[in-house]
Amino acid sequence: MGPPPKAVTLSELGASQVSVRGAPDWMADDGTTLYVTTDSGSVSVIDPAKSAEVRRLQLGAAGLCQGIGVGGSAVWSCSPTPAGADDVLRVNLKSGKVQRFQVGKRTDQAHLDVAADRVWVITDAGLVGLNVKTAKPDPPIALGVPGTDLAAKDDRAYVLSRGAGAVVAVDLAARRVVAQSAVPDARAVTVSNEVWVVTGSELVALDKERLQETARIPIAGEPCSVAAEGDRVFVGGTSPLLTEASGATHQVSRVITDTNSQCGDVHVGFGSIWVNANEGDVVHRVPL
C-alpha cells in the first residue's frame, strides 16, 4: 500500500474556465487548437493561447450525435440517421463547408481518432478507415466483437466492446486484429505508455503489444472517460470530477474532489488537463 492520494479542488490547482455554450462534450486537438463538440449541434474552436473560444463550426446535424476527431485540415463529427446509425461529417477548417458520408458509424463511438492518414469509424461490419484527403472508405476490418469506442495512435487502434466485455488491438497496416483481452464493462480507452481502459469501477492497464493485463486500479464514483500523458493517467467522472493515477506505481496519486451530475470528457493537451461535465456551459482547464 502506498501513501493515500492527495485530495485537492479545482480552485486549489489554479484551474480556469473556458465558456462554451450549448453543453460541451467530447474533445480533440490537432496540436494547435482544441475542438469541443456541443449538444447544441456545433463545434467550439478554442485557442489554447487565449484560453477562449475563437470560432464556432456549425455541423447541420439532424439531431444529437456524439463523436469528434481532427485531421486532414478538417474536423470529423457525425449526424444521426433514421436507420439508427450515424453519418460521418467532414467540416473543412478553412471554409466551414460540411460534407456527409454514409458509412454506418455506430452511435456509441465518441472518438473519431485519426491515424495512418485515416479517420477510424466503428461500424457493424467492422472498423472502417476514411482517407482524410479523399474521404473514401477502405473495406471494413473484421473485429470479431461489436465495437463501441476506440483509441488510435500510429499504426494501432484499440477498440472496446462494452457488450462483449473486451478490447482488441488492430494492426492498421496489416488490417487485422492482433490481440484481444477480456475487460468486462469496458467504457473508455486511451493509449500512452500502456493501454488504459476505464470500467464502471476500475482503471485497467494493458501492455500495448499483447494486451496482457498489468494492473487494476479501483476508481471511486462513476468513472466515464480517460486521457493520458506519459505515465500520468486522468479519469473523468462524476464524484470525484477527476482522478489521477500513476503509470509507474499503478496507484491513484491525486483526486480532484469537485463533483458534477453528468459524465463528460477529459483531454490532455497544451500543458493542461481539459475537463467538461456536459453541463454548466464551461470547460475546466487544469495546469498539468
Side-chain angles (χ1 to χ4, degrees):
M1 296 288 293
K6 183 178 181 181
V8 293
T9 64
L10 289 170
S11 177
E12 289 171 332
L13 292 174
S16 58
Q17 292 185 350
V18 180
S19 176
V20 178
R21 302 182 317 278
D25 206 344
W26 304 102
M27 297 180 281
D29 79 74
D30 58 6
T32 60
T33 305
L34 180 71
Y35 302 90
V36 184
T37 56
T38 72
D39 288 353
S40 61
S42 61
V43 173
S44 172
V45 181
I46 295 174
D47 181 346
K50 298 178 180 178
S51 204
E53 180 181 301
V54 294
R55 187 182 179 192
R56 187 63 72 107
L57 300 171
Q58 298 299 327
L59 297 176
L64 181 62
C65 187
Q66 59 181 3
I68 192 168
V70 58
S73 301
V75 168
W76 302 84
S77 191
C78 57
S79 177
T81 70
D86 292 339
D87 289 341
V88 170
L89 305 179
R90 182 185 189 275
V91 188
N92 185 293
L93 283 173
K94 185 175 181 180
S95 66
K97 180 182 178 181
V98 178
Q99 295 174 284
R100 181 183 297 263
F101 304 95
Q102 298 175 343
V103 293
K105 170 189 167 293
R106 284 184 58 107
T107 57
D108 0 38
Q109 182 184 1
H111 297 98
L112 291 164
D113 286 0
V114 175
D117 296 322
R118 302 288 190 276
V119 55
W120 294 98
V121 182
I122 302 170
T123 72
D124 286 341
L127 185 63
V128 173
L130 285 177
N131 187 298
V132 294
K133 295 181 179 178
T134 66
K136 291 184 178 179
D138 296 329
I141 302 170
L143 296 172
V145 294
T148 47
D149 208 357
L150 60 73
K153 185 177 181 180
D154 301 326
D155 62 350
R156 287 287 175 98
Y158 300 92
V159 183
L160 298 182
S161 176
R162 185 170 182 177
V167 56
V168 298
V170 181
D171 185 317
L172 299 177
R175 295 181 49 79
R176 63 186 180 90
V177 170
V178 292
Q180 180 170 332
S181 183
V183 183
D185 196 27
R187 298 185 177 191
V189 60
T190 193
V191 57
S192 57
N193 296 343
E194 296 182 271
V195 178
W196 298 95
V197 180
V198 166
T199 74
S201 61
E202 294 177 306
L203 177 63
V204 181
L206 308 166
D207 82 88
K208 292 194 291 186
E209 292 303 314
R210 293 180 290 174
L211 292 184
Q212 291 185 330
E213 185 178 312
T214 58
R216 281 183 178 260
I217 306 169
I219 302 294
E222 184 184 355
C224 45
S225 55
V226 63
E229 174 79 10
D231 275 337
R232 300 177 69 182
V233 189
F234 307 95
V235 179
T238 54
S239 179
L241 177 67
L242 193 69
T243 301
E244 180 177 347
S246 167
T249 65
H250 286 159
Q251 293 181 335
V252 172
S253 57
R254 185 173 67 170
V255 175
I256 297 179
T257 58
D258 299 72
T259 64
N260 62 280
S261 62
Q262 298 186 57
C263 282
D265 196 19
V266 59
H267 186 83
V268 179
F270 315 106
S272 303
I273 313 159
W274 304 80
V275 188
N276 67 58
N278 197 21
E279 61 183 7
D281 287 349
V282 297
V283 175
H284 302 286
R285 182 176 189 175
V286 185
L288 271 174

